[in-house]
Amino acid sequence: MRNMGKIRALLGKLNSLSPAAKASVWFVISNIALKGMSFITTPIFTRLMAVEDYGATSVFVSWESVISIFATLSLAGGVYNVAQTKYEDDINAYTSSMISLTFVASLLVYTACIIFNILVPSVFELSTPYLLFMWIQTFTNAVISFWLMRRRFLYDYKSVIAYTFTNALLSPTIAIIAILLFPSHAAYAKVIGAGLAGIVLGLVLCVLTYKKGKKIYNKEYWKYALKFNLPLIPHYLSSTLLNSSDKLMINSMVGTAQAGIYGIAHSITGLVSIITQAINYALIPFTLQSIKAKKFGSLKNVTTGCTALVAVVCIGVMLFAREGIMIFATKEYIDAVWFIPPLTMSVLFSFITGIIGNILFYYEKTWQMSAITITCAIINLVTNFFGIKYFGDIAAGYTTLGCSFIQLLLYYFVVRRYEKNLNKIVDLRWFFAIMIVYVGFMVYSMVFQNIFWARAGLLFAVLLAVVILHKKIIELIKSMLQKEKTEDNTSQETVSEEANV
């Protein structure tokens, strides 16, 4: 009863929020639920499918994420948000014309891909039926994205949640049934089964959008969208390549089975990414408001604390990677355990990069972000090629780690040009201390990977030390908070004096 009371109180507080804040919370919850479902169903698919079949589906997803950038021109992204304000009075016509532009772009891109795949089949490592289905799925997913962006813009979180949970349940369910019905074609069955519900919904939304918009082509809208979004394609592509190139190159240079093993490691570390994304969503408004109000001390405490929290989660995943793999998959995937230490550390670096990136957003330096992302993507491709060639697929995890660290450094040095108080926001001493501790745990986990009690004993020892020293830890935190509060007050007084002058 007491727990129910707490839940009702929490829901009451949530309902009292502004429409924008309430929608933001629910959007984060729905995003976690959608991605969380993929982790829950992963153990089922890895047990129903051969390693090669699972690897083929992983390659399919990776290629779709790359090709869809060109096929959809990311028209349902940032440009659509701006257009909803710019063309507010004619948004239905704008949306229907964008669906037409997306269809034309996707038709041209996938036609070129299919012809190229027939001529050079070794590049995609996918048969033509996969690419045909990918085209249909890419287009209908874009239609759904337009609808979702419009719902979010209107703070209609109930529709978004209804879609998210329905899709999260239907897609894996249909895929599992399809695999059971066609076990000899498990890869095709999973790909088609997982995408079938979305395709049907996308086609329905496409018809409804044309009925409302009644506009297939509008020269002004097409010109505006292309002018706005084409320069952003390199940024979107580079971001996707950073996340997908390793799997694609392992598949091409080593084999489909190894790509599947690497995909499992990515899935497990992706669980941490869900948490870091949710934390970063919450940090964005707080970061912007704190910079504007010159409350650097409190911001530094929050970013340092969040970084420490993410590091703890990453260490936990890393220490018990072997057990996690056995839950998510079977013993055929056990080699994925060696990818998880570098990949979890790259997640930690990416989280810190996100914190610094929020400051770049504050100063609207998006082209610098694009330049950094493109640079890191190129470095990642080159190091992946030579690393995998000379050291095998294990190199992919460490090239990802290296590129994440380079991206972090580049972000830091670029932001330092625009935010003179960066050292008051990002405490490098704490960050480096966290990284050094993490490296220690990383080495330990790899040395004792086959000894469960050694890893569990270390975790128990750390927890015991925290319990014994909890009073000193609390006193240290209080003294830090008091110090930063004094610095915040000093900063505000300085700002007020400057304003009066």
Side-chain angles (χ1 to χ4, degrees), residues 38-71:
S38 67
F39 291 106
I40 294 172
T41 55
T42 295
I44 300 174
F45 289 121
T46 53
R47 284 164 173 79
L48 288 175
M49 304 170 68
V51 177
E52 291 78 10
D53 287 330
Y54 188 83
T57 61
S58 181
V59 170
F60 175 91
V61 172
S62 297
W63 270 120
E64 184 180 26
S65 65
V66 174
I67 299 173
S68 64
I69 293 172
F70 299 98

Side-chain angles (χ1 to χ4, degrees), residues 255-330:
T256 305
Q258 286 77 9
I261 291 171
Y262 187 79
I264 282 295
H266 242 293
S267 295
I268 293 173
T269 54
L271 183 61
V272 186
S273 295
I274 293 176
I275 298 171
T276 60
Q277 287 173 9
I279 294 174
N280 197 43
Y281 286 147
L283 278 178
I284 290 173
F286 179 73
T287 300
L288 304 184
Q289 292 164 9
S290 297
I291 294 173
K292 186 176 181 180
K294 304 295 181 183
K295 292 185 176 180
F296 303 120
S298 56
L299 178 58
K300 182 167 70 173
N301 281 329
V302 171
T303 55
T304 303
C306 289
T307 303
L309 174 62
V310 171
V312 169
V313 174
C314 288
I315 288 171
V317 172
M318 180 174 59
L319 282 176
F320 299 100
R322 177 175 292 272
E323 289 69 32
I325 291 169
M326 295 310 295
I327 292 172
F328 273 81
T330 57

Side-chain angles (χ1 to χ4, degrees), residues 318-319 321-322 337-338 445-451 455:
M318 180 174 59
L319 282 176
R322 177 175 292 272
V337 72
W338 304 110
S445 69
M446 295 176 75
V447 171
F448 295 100
Q449 191 56 244
N450 295 321
I451 306 174
R455 291 177 280 118

Side-chain angles (χ1 to χ4, degrees), residues 113-326:
C113 287
I114 290 171
I115 293 173
F116 185 76
N117 190 52
I118 293 171
L119 297 174
V120 192
S122 60
V123 174
F124 290 115
E125 294 287 340
L126 293 171
S127 61
T128 299
Y130 273 119
L131 291 174
L132 284 170
F133 184 82
M134 190 187 295
W135 167 50
I136 299 171
Q137 182 168 276
T138 297
F139 171 69
T140 51
N141 281 346
V143 175
I144 294 172
S145 294
F146 280 115
W147 178 80
L148 288 173
M149 292 293 279
R150 183 59 181 162
R151 294 301 97 200
R152 290 190 176 102
F153 191 84
L154 297 173
Y155 301 130
D156 182 11
Y157 62 88
K158 292 181 181 179
S159 296
V160 175
I161 291 172
Y163 161 75
T164 300
F165 281 91
T166 301
N167 185 59
L169 290 173
L170 276 180
S171 292
T173 301
I174 296 173
I176 290 169
I177 293 172
I179 293 171
L180 293 174
L181 291 175
F182 305 99
S184 59
H185 303 284
Y188 278 114
K190 182 181 184 298
V191 168
I192 295 173
L196 195 59
I199 288 173
V200 173
L201 177 61
L203 292 175
V204 171
L205 289 174
C206 185
V207 173
L208 294 176
T209 303
Y210 277 120
K211 280 187 176 181
K212 284 184 179 180
K214 299 180 175 64
K215 186 71 68 175
I216 295 176
Y217 169 75
N218 183 294
K219 183 179 179 181
E220 178 189 350
Y221 295 162
W222 280 36
K223 184 178 179 181
Y224 168 75
L226 291 172
K227 184 179 179 181
F228 188 106
N229 245 41
L230 284 178
L232 290 174
I233 296 299
H235 171 64
Y236 292 132
L237 178 62
S238 299
S239 298
T240 303
L241 284 175
L242 277 171
N243 294 322
S244 305
S245 62
D246 41 12
K247 280 184 283 186
L248 296 176
M249 294 182 78
I250 288 174
N251 179 72
S252 177
M253 298 175 68
V254 184
T256 305
Q258 286 77 9
I261 291 171
Y262 187 79
I264 282 295
H266 242 293
S267 295
I268 293 173
T269 54
L271 183 61
V272 186
S273 295
I274 293 176
I275 298 171
T276 60
Q277 287 173 9
I279 294 174
N280 197 43
Y281 286 147
L283 278 178
I284 290 173
F286 179 73
T287 300
L288 304 184
Q289 292 164 9
S290 297
I291 294 173
K292 186 176 181 180
K294 304 295 181 183
K295 292 185 176 180
F296 303 120
S298 56
L299 178 58
K300 182 167 70 173
N301 281 329
V302 171
T303 55
T304 303
C306 289
T307 303
L309 174 62
V310 171
V312 169
V313 174
C314 288
I315 288 171
V317 172
M318 180 174 59
L319 282 176
F320 299 100
R322 177 175 292 272
E323 289 69 32
I325 291 169
M326 295 310 295

